[in-house]
C-alpha cells in the first residue's frame, strides 16, 4: 500500500466528473487500499479517487467513532438510490480544502448501491455521520465541493486564498 498525494483546490481535476469503473480488478482494489491508507494518514473519514488525481468513481469511507474499531468501506460506482426526508446539519471538512469547515444540511439517511472490492453489488442503508460522508464523497465524483454550498462571495474568498497559497508555494 502507498500514501497518495491529495490534490487541493484550485486544481481543476477536482471539478471533473469521474468515469465509471468498468470492473473491479487488481488495479481498482490496489487503488482502494492506497486510498484507505491515504485517508487514515491524512486523517479523514472519506476520500474520493478524484482527490488523488484519478477521476474514477471510487470512494472509501470509515465513519467509525473514536474508540471504535475501524470499519472501512470501499465502493466502486456508488449510486444514491434513496435519501431520507429528515435532514441533519453537520460541519463538514474536506481533505482537498484544508482548514475549511462548512455547515451543510443534508438528508439524515441515505441508501447507496455500489460494487465492493470483491466485485459484488451491495446496498447500504446509512444514517448520521456515515450518511453525510457518503453524500459528501459522491458529490466529489460529480465535481462538487463543500464550498459550492456557500455564497458566491465566501466561495470566491476561499478560492482566492488557495490560489495565492499555490502561487507562493511555487515561489
Amino acid at each position: 500500500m502507498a500514501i497518495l498525494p491529495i490534490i487541493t483546490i484550485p486544481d481543476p481535476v477536482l471539478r471533473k466528473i469521474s468515469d465509471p469503473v468498468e470492473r473491479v480488478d487488481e488495479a481498482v482494489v490496489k487503488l482502494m487500499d492506497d486510498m484507505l491508507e491515504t485517508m487514515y494518514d491524512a486523517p479523514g473519514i472519506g476520500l474520493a479517487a478524484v482527490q488523488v488525481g484519478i477521476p474514477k468513481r471510487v470512494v472509501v469511507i470509515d465513519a467509525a467513532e473514536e474508540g471504535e474499531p475501524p470499519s472501512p468501506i470501499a465502493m466502486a460506482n456508488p449510486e444514491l438510490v434513496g435519501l431520507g426526508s429528515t435532514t441533519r446539519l453537520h460541519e463538514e471538512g474536506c481533505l482537498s480544502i484544508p482548514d475549511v469547515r462548512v455547515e451543510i444540511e443534508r438528508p439524515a439517511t441515505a441508501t447507496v448501491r455500489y460494487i465492493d472490492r470483491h466485485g459484488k453489488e451491495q446496498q447500504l442503508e446509512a444514517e448520521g455521520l456515515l450518511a453525510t460522508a457518503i453524500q459528501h464523497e459522491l458529490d466529489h465524483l460529480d465535481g462538487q465541493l463543500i464550498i459550492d454550498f456557500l455564497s458566491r462571495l465566501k466561495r470566491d474568498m476561499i478560492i482566492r486564498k488557495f490560489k495565492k497559497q499555490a502561487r507562493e508555494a511555487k515561489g
Side-chain angles (χ1 to χ4, degrees):
M1 292 200 296
I3 294 174
L4 306 170
I6 297 172
I7 60 175
T8 58
I9 63 168
D11 193 313
V13 171
L14 291 168
R15 293 301 189 173
K16 285 188 183 244
I17 294 181
S18 296
D19 296 321
V21 170
E22 290 189 25
R23 65 186 180 88
V24 176
D25 56 16
E26 281 182 38
V28 171
V29 171
K30 180 180 180 345
L31 174 61
M32 290 171 166
D33 289 342
D34 290 348
M35 287 172 58
L36 279 167
E37 185 172 354
T38 303
M39 178 191 77
Y40 288 131
D41 180 70
I45 65 166
L47 188 66
V50 70
Q51 291 179 273
V52 292
I54 302 168
K56 290 281 184 194
R57 298 189 83 78
V58 175
V59 302
V60 295
I61 297 171
D62 188 342
E65 298 290 329
E66 199 170 316
E68 291 180 359
S71 58
I73 303 168
M75 304 178 186
N77 299 336
E79 174 187 357
L80 285 172
V81 293
L83 293 169
S85 57
T86 60
T87 58
R88 172 180 191 269
L89 188 64
H90 185 75
E91 187 179 71
E92 297 181 30
C94 181
L95 297 175
S96 291
I97 314 172
D99 304 320
V100 171
R101 313 265 318 154
V102 177
E103 282 218 335
I104 299 174
E105 189 170 8
R106 297 185 188 265
T109 59
T111 304
V112 62
R113 184 180 308 132
Y114 64 96
I115 301 168
D116 70 14
R117 63 186 301 112
H118 306 291
K120 304 278 188 253
E121 188 171 292
Q122 302 288 340
Q123 187 162 303
L124 174 67
E125 293 183 23
E127 60 184 27
L129 182 59
L130 180 57
T132 297
I134 289 168
Q135 293 170 74
H136 175 114
E137 297 310 326
L138 269 59
D139 282 351
H140 277 296
L141 301 182
D142 294 324
Q144 189 171 15
L145 302 169
I146 59 172
I147 57 173
D148 297 336
F149 289 87
L150 295 172
S151 69
R152 182 180 197 108
L153 177 65
K154 286 182 181 175
R155 183 174 56 243
D156 288 349
M157 285 173 49
I158 291 168
I159 291 170
R160 271 196 305 276
K161 174 184 153 190
F162 278 87
K163 282 182 177 177
K164 181 180 178 193
Q165 288 174 354
R167 280 193 309 272
E168 289 171 355
K170 287 181 181 174

